[in-house]
């Protein structure tokens, strides 16, 4: 739990992140700061898994992330992380590629530290 | 249509695109030959489901983009029931692409240019959601449909509502919704679940709701009876 809270703090410190949800790939919510997380947890799990299914259909490698664009409003981003998905609702004025880069940096840091600790 | 696809293909990094309609399938494609028809259909189906689930959460959704190590896939609904899917390189200039798409959407001529037939308007689709919702909420089938949706959660987890509503809409499109056509709905769900073991379990769970003797509705039969 402490690890999850530390992770949540790091996500919320990312510039451009307004709200987030972190779920297992079966849709179970691990931690979030959203007002109504249920519908977004289903969306995150469904589209995250579908994104990976599409990867095998088109025959490409590594699914990095997906983005729902909302006509100038807060875009919703989903990042796969092993058997988990991180959903990010970005600030309306944030530049999506910058937010993606910052989130990827955090994910890489977590992956690296986990690999290093065995 | 060709004009739109051709214009998009001039953008550096765009590999190609396809126009997809959920009922009519692939209308046009200028993707490389390696993207054969079955692959295009699968892509279209998966992407439209993803887009639709996004739209059910965000009514102002304009575009869905998926980023892979070696490619980028974008889907946008050009008009009711007509989707444009673009495949590009990961370094594709998405701002340029978005601007081009916005301009194309403002020019209806470029979307309906000959020789392709005009895109099928699907007013039925607008009515689908209310019909599906109504079927679930009231009427003689509501109880059994709700139960089928609820049991589906035990098989596919939290995505059950999205999957069930999608199947319900396909059922409404292809059959007259009534207890006698439940087998068609079950077939669609089998296609969605796409796992014989899970489907067998699901059929066990929903058997009581397909059994004419167990239901209040005027059932003409379950899956087996219907095929006899």
């Amino acid at each position: 739990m402490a690890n999850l809270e530390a992770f949540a703090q790091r996500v919320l410190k990312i510039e451009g992140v307004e709200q987030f949800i972190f779920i297992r790939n079966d849709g179970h919510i691990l931690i979030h700061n959203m007002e109504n997380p249920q519908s977004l947890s289903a969306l995150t799990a469904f589209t995250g898994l579908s994104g990976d299914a599409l990867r095998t259909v088109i025959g490409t490698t590594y699914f990095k992330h997906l983005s729902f664009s909302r006509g100038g409003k807060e875009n919703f981003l989903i990042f796969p992380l092993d058997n988990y998905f991180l959903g990010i609702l970005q600030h309306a004025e944030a530049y999506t590629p910058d937010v993606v880069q910052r989130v990827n940096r955090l994910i890489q840091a977590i992956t690296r530290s986990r690999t290093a600790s065995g | 249509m060709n004009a739109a696809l051709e214009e998009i293909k001039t953008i550096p990094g765009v590999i190609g695109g396809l126009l997809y309609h959920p009922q009519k399938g692939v209308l046009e494609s200028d993707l490389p030959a390696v993207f054969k028809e079955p692959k295009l259909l699968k892509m279209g189906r998966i992407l439209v489901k993803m887009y639709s689930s996004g739209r059910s959460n965000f009514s102002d959704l304009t575009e869905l983009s998926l980023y892979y190590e070696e490619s980028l896939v974008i889907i946008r609904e050009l008009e009711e029931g007509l989707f444009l899917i673009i495949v590009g390189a990961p370094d594709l200039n998405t701002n340029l692409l978005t601007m081009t798409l916005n301009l194309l959407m403002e020019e209806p001529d470029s979307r309906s240019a000959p020789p392709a037939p005009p895109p099928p308007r699907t007013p039925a689709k607008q009515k689908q959601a209310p019909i599906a919702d109504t079927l679930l909420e009231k009427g003689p089938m509501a109880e059994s449909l709700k139960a089928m949706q609820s049991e589906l959660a035990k098989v596919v987890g939290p995505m059950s509502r999205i999957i069930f509503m999608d199947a319900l809409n396909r059922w409404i499109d292809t059959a007259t919704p009534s207890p006698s056509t439940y087998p068609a709905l079950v077939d669609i769900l089998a296609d969605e679940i796409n796992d014989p073991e899970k489907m067998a379990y699901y059929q066990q769970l929903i058997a009581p709701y397909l059994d004419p003797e167990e239901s209040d509705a005027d059932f003409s039969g379950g899956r087996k009876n219907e095929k006899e």
Side-chain angles (χ1 to χ4, degrees):
Chain A
M1 186 54 80
N3 281 345
L4 272 179
E5 276 165 15
F7 172 70
Q9 288 309 313
R10 290 182 72 176
V11 171
L12 285 171
K13 274 185 190 166
I14 296 172
E15 197 185 330
V17 172
E18 189 170 288
Q19 294 177 42
F20 81 99
I21 184 165
F22 187 54
I23 62 160
R24 218 162 49 198
N25 64 5
D26 62 359
H28 177 76
I29 300 169
L30 297 172
I31 195 161
H32 72 92
N33 72 336
M34 293 186 159
E35 283 170 20
N36 298 303
Q38 294 304 332
S39 65
L40 280 184
S41 74
L43 175 70
T44 304
F46 178 70
T47 51
L49 291 169
S50 300
D52 201 47
L54 187 70
R55 177 185 64 78
T56 59
V57 171
I58 60 177
T60 186
T61 57
Y62 189 52
F63 170 40
K64 291 160 78 177
H65 73 276
L66 66 83
S67 166
F68 286 103
S69 302
R70 299 176 57 207
K73 290 194 182 167
E74 303 93 342
N75 290 349
F76 186 62
L77 313 169
I78 299 173
F79 297 82
L81 186 51
D82 289 341
N83 295 322
Y84 305 91
F85 293 111
L86 174 62
I88 300 276
L89 200 60
Q90 69 166 67
H91 283 297
E93 66 275 19
Y95 182 53
T96 304
D98 285 347
V99 178
V100 168
Q101 195 178 29
R102 291 179 199 124
V103 174
N104 275 332
R105 227 177 278 150
L106 171 64
I107 289 174
Q108 279 163 14
I110 291 168
T111 312
R112 246 184 260 128
S113 68
R114 229 179 18 188
T115 309
S117 65
Chain B
M1 295 296 169
N2 269 331
L5 288 178
E6 275 170 22
E7 192 164 339
I8 290 161
K9 208 164 181 179
T10 60
I11 299 169
V14 170
I15 294 167
L18 74 127
L19 288 160
Y20 179 83
H21 187 278
Q23 274 80 47
K24 303 222 166 191
V26 178
L27 301 179
E28 271 184 49
S29 165
D30 66 356
L31 281 162
V34 68
F35 287 86
K36 296 195 190 310
E37 181 86 6
K39 185 183 271 199
L40 296 177
L41 284 170
K42 263 190 188 173
M43 281 174 65
R45 234 177 110 196
I46 293 173
L47 283 163
V48 166
K49 269 190 211 166
M50 293 173 79
Y51 189 92
S52 302
S53 59
R55 174 57 66 80
S56 68
N57 279 268
F58 307 116
S59 57
D60 51 1
L61 180 66
T62 55
E63 203 170 275
L64 166 63
S65 313
L66 293 104
Y67 293 79
Y68 297 93
E69 187 73 19
E70 294 155 349
S71 52
L72 165 64
V73 182
I74 294 172
I75 178 167
R76 180 187 275 233
E77 190 170 23
L78 290 179
E79 54 188 69
E80 186 70 36
L82 178 67
F83 293 88
L84 172 65
I85 295 167
I86 298 162
V87 179
D91 58 351
L92 170 66
N93 185 335
T94 49
N95 290 332
L96 178 58
L97 178 65
T98 300
M99 192 185 77
T100 308
L101 289 174
N102 289 341
L103 289 171
L104 280 171
M105 289 181 79
E106 284 168 15
E107 296 170 14
D109 286 352
S110 66
R111 284 181 283 139
S112 55
R121 296 288 303 180
T122 51
K125 195 188 170 193
Q126 275 184 319
K127 292 174 191 166
Q128 272 178 11
I131 291 173
D133 286 340
T134 308
L135 284 178
L136 270 174
E137 280 162 18
K138 54 188 175 188
M141 292 182 284
E143 201 176 318
S144 48
L145 289 174
K146 266 186 200 163
M148 286 166 78
Q149 183 186 336
S150 165
E151 298 294 6
L152 187 64
K154 295 176 186 169
V155 181
V156 298
M159 284 77 81
S160 58
R161 180 171 162 77
I162 292 167
I163 291 172
F164 194 80
M165 292 308 286
D166 189 54
L168 212 51
N169 283 325
R170 282 174 63 195
W171 182 49
I172 293 164
D173 273 347
T174 55
T176 306
S178 79
S180 66
T181 59
Y182 274 174
L185 176 59
V186 174
D187 285 343
I188 294 168
L189 286 165
D191 192 33
E192 297 281 349
I193 293 170
N194 197 22
D195 180 325
E197 211 169 298
K198 282 185 179 173
M199 189 56 205
Y201 176 53
Y202 181 59
Q203 279 186 298
Q204 274 178 23
L205 294 173
I206 62 170
Y209 312 107
L210 301 177
D211 185 345
E213 287 178 15
E214 296 285 329
S215 170
D216 293 331
D218 181 25
F219 282 19
S220 63
R223 189 185 178 92
K224 283 179 184 170
N225 292 343
E226 181 70 16
K227 288 191 173 173
E228 279 168 7

